[in-house]
Amino acid sequence: MLNIYNTLTKEIDEVSPLEDGVVRMYTCGPTVYRDAHIGNLRSYLMADWIRRILSAQGLDVVHIKNITDVGHMRQEMLERGEDKIIAAALEEGKTPAEIAQFYTDRFLADEQKLRIQPAHEFPKATDHIQEMIEIVERLVETGYAYEADGNVYFAVSQFPEYGKLSGNIHEAELLEAVRVEADPLKRDPRDFTLWKAAEPGRMVKWPSPWGEGFPGWHIECSAMSFKYLGEKFDIHTGGVDNIFPHHEGEIAQSEGFTGEPVVSSWVHGQHLLADGVKMAKSAGNSFIMSDIEAQGIDSMAFRYLCMTARYNTRLNFTFTSLRAAQRGLQRLKNRIWQWTMDADGDVANGADVEEWTGKFFDTVNSNLDMPGALALTWEMARSDLSAATKLTLVEKFDHVLGLELVNVVEEYESEPEALEQLVRRSSHREAGEYADADRIRAGLEDAGYVVEDDATASRIRPKAEWEKLTEDRDIISSAAEVPSLVDEMDSREVTIGIVACNYVEDVKRAVNSAFTWANGRDMEAVILDNGSTDGTSEWLEELASRDARVRVIHADHKLGEGAAKNIVLKQSLGRTVVLLDTSAEICADIYGRIEQMLDQKDVGIAGPFGLRTDNLHHFHDGEGESGEMDAMQAYCFAFRRSALKEVGLMRESFRFYRNLDIDYSFHFKEAGKRILADASLGVVQHEHRVWSELAEGERDELSLKNYRRFLEKWGDRADLLVSSGRG
Ligand code: AMP
Ligand code: ZN
């Protein structure tokens, strides 16, 4: 039977159901005012594997997954610009219930795409307000909770076991303190809200014994788990970020209410990361299923990818690893496809099936070892078992894996005509007529097939969507994948470096303007297509195919600005590099003048738009002035490529563009180089859309973060300023 790590006992416990043959399991479900990101989906996949493992071994699993559709329409969240989608929907006159339904439907569709077995019930929080009120009333009666001004709080001091799940109570206190501003109504800072009085103007609220209000976050899971699973049940799942405060609070409420332990096993999944940090919408590094589909990648490849890391370890998501998973899945399917042809009505060997099935269940039962299960599947595939035995085994394994592996037969079906071509090709090959064979192969490929040969046979299958989309493109997932040419010799006079992300008209204007004024110079453009989705990628591809001076690298998602620019810097080969923003347009031959400026002793950066400061805390633009500056703005930023060896690359912790140019300017200053502006250089600034299309709150927050980063490093380097008399 399944043994799994229990966050409560801190041990790997065997799942032994309270009722014979039936496992009751509760999974903390999605918040439905936004799409579930693939990190959330990773934690639902974990619960799905637990369920499949148990039911494949004969247990009846009752699975409940709640829908959190309340407590999220908070005004302060909207004001911080945290949820533009919901703000827009409310503005359009949609009701909160309509918004919740919209995202619930999308969530269910995502689960279906990943073949996550649907829970037996998806109870909504808003349908269970009465049940929550009843629990809170009883907690007040028994002294576990108290009322203050229409709010009800759980009195943590009354529940001595508080902290038994998350461990450290002091840490709990700390977390509580930084999460929310001290609430003067709480008797103890650790106390948490069970019921909250509605503030004036609040739309979503209910009557209660304490006046109109709405429930706290944790109480919904106590109420719904009791209602659908009873006051004792077997397994409760969630992501590790749920351990505190959500599940700690749930235990206090539920056990305060019943006076007894409620959940036997608490199972928590580790996070999916992106760019090395927890995937979260607020961090701007989240992806949703449609981002995967947009790249033509199968949803099942994500399921396969999640299987490559144990549930209790972090997994860093990149599209490169997703594509690798897609190829792994494809190779596995290719084999299964071959077995269906080879098996040809044979029967499986019973003893082999029993032995391998035993090994498989030992593996998954051992703390949900899905990577082990996948490895075993591959070992089986490569073994010398008969094709029929392999087919039987893969079908059994797949009840747990959930990859729909045996569907490959229909998926790979080809037109009869193509199959005839394949037969003709094989006979040409046998006859040594390779030119004919290659001609047929090319024809099949043009018709959208992939031809695969191995030692014994040739097969064709329809080309997958992801293979069509990524053909002939240089696609990367991180700056680290791009080699540095910094140590190579200059092979051009000028490199125009551009980072492009959507706004294709702006991109065209900037690129074309740079070449228009080349005046016979040997120029190249190095363009990073930073995860564009609006046709920019296609235009750039087309440009590169007709103009050998243009090199395009596609990032499969939007990289942070520092990383994006570094890719351009690493790939440049011009003696002079001119970084050009897509909101800028060159309207004169600026290159001669730039060379002249950079020829001056000690000058590190040249450009038209300088910045000055007296104290590092406020930079103001040169306002049409020329001369020595404290920083150069990114719209047009020129330097010698050889300087890279001294000043290094940009700091990749700058994900947002703003103030990165100032930071990088200081790298030059520190290396003893001056920054020179010539306001008469022919460069025009147009609307900067990245800026103008951000919500005000958001752009302020992002800019501030970067400014802090800048100050941390350079705050006490007033000695580098022009006003300090240096230079
Ligand atoms: P939420 O919709 O924010 O309540 O989250 C739904 C579920 O996803 C919870 O169980 C979270 O613990 C889990 N979760 C949130 N972020 C991640 C992540 N980056 N990786 C894995 N699981 C996550
Ligand atoms: Zn929950």
Side-chain angles (χ1 to χ4, degrees):
M1 197 34 61
L2 176 63
N3 286 267
I4 194 157
Y5 182 80
N6 184 348
T7 312
L8 187 61
T9 62
K10 319 237 168 332
E11 272 171 26
I12 295 180
D13 293 338
E14 181 174 293
V15 174
S16 55
L18 295 159
E19 181 187 334
D20 240 9
V22 183
V23 176
R24 295 191 167 76
M25 172 156 110
Y26 186 92
T27 294
C28 279
T31 308
V32 287
Y33 68 92
R34 47 158 156 79
D35 282 310
H37 58 63
I38 57 176
N40 301 137
L41 292 168
R42 181 186 184 202
S43 69
Y44 304 131
L45 278 167
M46 172 193 76
D48 187 60
W49 279 312
I50 294 176
R51 173 166 162 191
R52 284 168 178 266
I53 289 167
L54 295 170
S55 44
Q57 292 174 95
L59 291 164
D60 236 333
V61 183
V62 183
H63 190 194
I64 306 300
K65 191 175 287 174
N66 67 296
I67 302 281
T68 300
D69 60 347
V70 64
H72 49 266
M73 307 283 168
R74 280 177 319 203
Q75 201 55 35
E76 73 274 9
M77 205 157 185
L78 298 185
E79 275 162 12
R80 268 187 283 138
E82 219 168 85
D83 226 288
K84 277 183 284 184
I85 301 173
I86 186 169
L90 290 172
E91 248 164 51
E92 276 171 31
K94 295 221 171 70
T95 65
E98 282 166 345
I99 296 169
Q101 192 56 49
F102 175 79
Y103 286 107
T104 302
D105 292 342
R106 284 167 67 98
F107 168 71
L108 295 174
D110 284 348
E111 285 213 318
Q112 156 65 20
K113 284 174 198 155
L114 288 171
R115 301 294 181 266
I116 294 174
Q117 297 183 340
H120 299 96
E121 296 275 354
F122 288 98
K124 290 184 194 168
T126 52
D127 290 339
H128 298 80
I129 304 294
Q130 200 45 46
E131 286 86 340
M132 298 185 218
I133 290 175
E134 281 162 24
I135 297 175
V136 177
E137 273 186 302
R138 173 109 142 252
L139 290 172
V140 173
E141 274 163 34
T142 52
Y144 280 111
Y146 59 91
E147 196 231 307
D149 268 5
N151 302 300
V152 183
Y153 299 100
F154 189 93
V156 166
S157 61
Q158 299 302 301
F159 187 74
E161 290 179 89
Y162 188 77
K164 70 177 172 181
L165 184 74
S166 55
N168 193 335
I169 310 177
H170 299 295
E171 186 184 33
E173 253 170 68
L174 266 177
L175 271 167
E176 189 77 12
V178 295
R179 268 183 118 79
V180 283
E181 303 233 330
D183 176 348
L185 297 174
K186 285 185 186 177
R187 291 181 192 161
D188 181 326
R190 296 173 301 163
D191 292 354
F192 57 88
T193 308
L194 296 170
W195 185 265
K196 191 146 180 58
E199 66 281 6
R202 200 189 148 81
M203 284 193 268
V204 185
K205 59 185 175 189
W206 292 266
S208 83
W210 316 282
E212 286 196 322
F214 58 100
W217 172 29
H218 323 314
I219 193 70
E220 65 176 85
C221 290
S222 291
M224 291 186 274
S225 62
F226 283 168
K227 173 159 177 183
Y228 294 94
L229 296 176
E231 293 186 359
K232 274 186 187 298
F233 59 96
D234 303 294
I235 301 177
H236 195 311
T237 75
V240 287
D241 59 315
N242 281 160
I243 297 174
F244 186 87
H246 185 49
H247 290 161
E248 197 67 71
E250 187 180 325
I251 290 179
Q253 296 159 172
S254 295
E255 300 190 359
F257 181 82
T258 67
E260 291 199 41
V262 173
V263 176
S264 311
S265 288
W266 286 91
V267 182
H268 293 101
Q270 257 298 356
H271 285 139
L272 186 68
L273 315 180
D275 299 327
V277 292
K278 177 189 167 191
M279 185 175 290
K281 185 160 189 223
S282 59
N285 65 346
S286 68
F287 300 105
I288 60 177
M289 285 310 286
S290 58
D291 295 321
I292 290 180
E293 286 158 17
Q295 312 238 1
I297 300 175
D298 271 349
S299 315
M300 280 293 120
F302 181 65
R303 192 179 177 101
Y304 187 103
L305 176 67
C306 288
M307 231 181 270
T308 61
R310 184 83 75 105
Y311 78 97
N312 56 3
T313 61
R314 293 182 179 83
L315 171 60
N316 191 48
F317 174 84
T318 62
F319 280 95
T320 305
S321 60
L322 183 62
R323 274 200 201 88
Q326 171 84 78
R327 281 189 292 272
L329 177 60
Q330 181 118 54
R331 282 198 307 272
L332 187 56
K333 283 184 164 183
N334 287 353
R335 286 183 181 252
I336 298 168
W337 181 37
Q338 185 63 43
W339 306 335
T340 60
M341 295 182 232
D342 295 347
D344 200 22
D346 294 351
V347 290
N349 176 316
D352 287 340
V353 169
E354 199 173 316
E355 184 197 331
W356 282 83
T357 309
K359 281 199 264 187
F360 183 83
F361 280 100
D362 286 349
T363 307
V364 293
N365 282 339
S366 157
N367 202 16
L368 199 60
D369 185 4
M370 299 313 291
L374 198 56
L376 191 83
T377 305
W378 272 105
E379 193 189 322
M380 185 276 288
R382 295 191 180 105
S383 73
D384 52 13
L385 295 171
S386 73
T389 306
K390 288 179 180 175
L391 266 186
T392 303
L393 281 169
V394 83
E395 210 166 320
K396 278 185 186 285
F397 293 1
D398 205 33
H399 287 147
V400 172
L401 305 178
L403 292 168
E404 304 216 313
L405 295 170
V406 283
N407 288 3
V408 65
V409 184
E410 292 131 58
E411 233 174 86
Y412 282 12
E413 210 162 19
S414 304
E415 296 291 322
E417 224 168 278
L419 290 169
E420 276 166 34
Q421 293 284 333
L422 184 70
V423 173
R424 280 185 38 215
R425 172 173 174 270
S426 297
S427 39
H428 281 305
R429 271 158 60 98
E430 274 160 36
E433 296 155 5
Y434 294 111
D436 291 324
D438 286 349
R439 194 177 34 75
I440 295 178
R441 179 195 188 108
L444 283 165
E445 279 170 359
D446 285 346
Y449 289 97
V450 180
V451 181
E452 316 214 20
D453 299 309
D454 62 29
T456 55
S458 299
R459 300 176 299 259
I460 47 168
R461 61 174 172 82
K463 189 172 282 174
E465 208 50 41
W466 64 277
E467 290 171 299
K468 290 184 204 159
L469 282 171
T470 56
E471 260 167 21
D472 314 322
R473 276 200 197 166
D474 223 344
I475 301 191
I476 53 132
S477 284
S478 70
E481 287 168 39
V482 179
S484 171
L485 308 179
V486 170
D487 291 323
E488 313 240 319
M489 304 245 295
D490 298 333
S491 60
R492 299 289 167 99
E493 285 172 60
V494 180
T495 298
I496 301 292
I498 293 183
V499 172
C501 178
N502 295 333
Y503 312 116
V504 63
E505 293 308 323
D506 291 13
V507 176
K508 286 184 195 174
R509 183 185 59 213
V511 177
N512 291 334
S513 76
F515 282 117
T516 301
W517 298 96
N519 271 345
R521 286 187 184 79
D522 182 18
M523 224 162 86
E524 65 165 2
V526 175
I527 305 176
L528 178 79
D529 169 22
N530 202 10
S532 299
T533 49
D534 69 342
T536 300
S537 315
E538 287 72 16
W539 182 76
L540 288 172
E541 247 343 270
E542 191 253 319
L543 174 69
S545 70
R546 65 180 153 78
D547 189 335
R549 296 171 299 176
V550 177
R551 218 147 23 98
V552 178
I553 299 160
H554 302 275
D556 59 12
H557 70 287
K558 191 171 193 297
L559 301 170
E561 189 74 5
K565 291 228 162 91
N566 281 346
I567 290 174
V568 169
L569 298 184
K570 287 197 284 186
Q571 285 286 303
S572 298
L573 286 168
R575 173 164 181 260
T576 300
V577 176
V578 182
L579 292 177
L580 191 66
D581 189 81
T582 55
S583 66
E585 178 180 6
I586 295 175
C587 47
D589 179 353
I590 63 171
Y591 307 108
R593 173 73 186 119
I594 284 177
E595 292 299 328
Q596 237 177 28
M597 288 159 82
L598 293 176
D599 277 342
Q600 291 177 51
K601 187 171 168 289
D602 293 347
V603 169
I605 305 172
F609 309 118
L611 292 172
R612 285 196 182 133
T613 183
D614 299 323
N615 54 13
L616 285 162
H617 287 268
H618 179 70
F619 281 81
H620 44 95
D621 48 89
E623 267 149 33
E625 279 182 68
S626 302
E628 190 162 353
M629 298 284 159
D630 289 310
M632 185 59 66
Q633 298 189 54
Y635 301 107
C636 177
F637 188 113
F639 54 93
R640 294 268 191 247
R641 197 169 68 95
S642 56
L644 290 175
K645 287 185 210 166
E646 274 172 85
V647 303
L649 295 171
M650 298 194 187
R651 288 205 281 158
E652 298 191 0
S653 50
F654 285 75
R655 288 188 58 88
F656 182 59
Y657 78 93
R658 202 134 198 266
N659 300 326
L660 172 61
D661 44 5
I662 297 186
D663 191 75
Y664 199 46
S665 297
F666 273 66
H667 286 235
F668 280 77
K669 280 176 162 278
E670 195 188 30
K673 296 177 186 293
R674 295 188 299 136
I675 296 172
L676 202 55
D678 180 349
S680 70
L681 275 176
V683 182
V684 182
Q685 266 176 272
H686 294 279
E687 185 185 354
H688 193 227
R689 295 188 203 258
V690 178
W691 178 253
S692 57
E693 295 192 3
L694 273 176
E696 211 167 298
E698 209 171 352
R699 50 159 99 130
D700 291 348
E701 196 181 315
L702 292 167
S703 305
L704 194 66
K705 260 194 204 159
N706 277 358
Y707 204 72
R708 283 210 196 96
R709 228 170 245 135
F710 165 76
L711 280 180
E712 252 164 53
K713 178 154 180 168
W714 305 104
D716 55 1
R717 296 302 304 274
D719 62 299
L720 295 176
L721 302 183
V722 178
S723 62
S724 77
R726 179 191 155 275

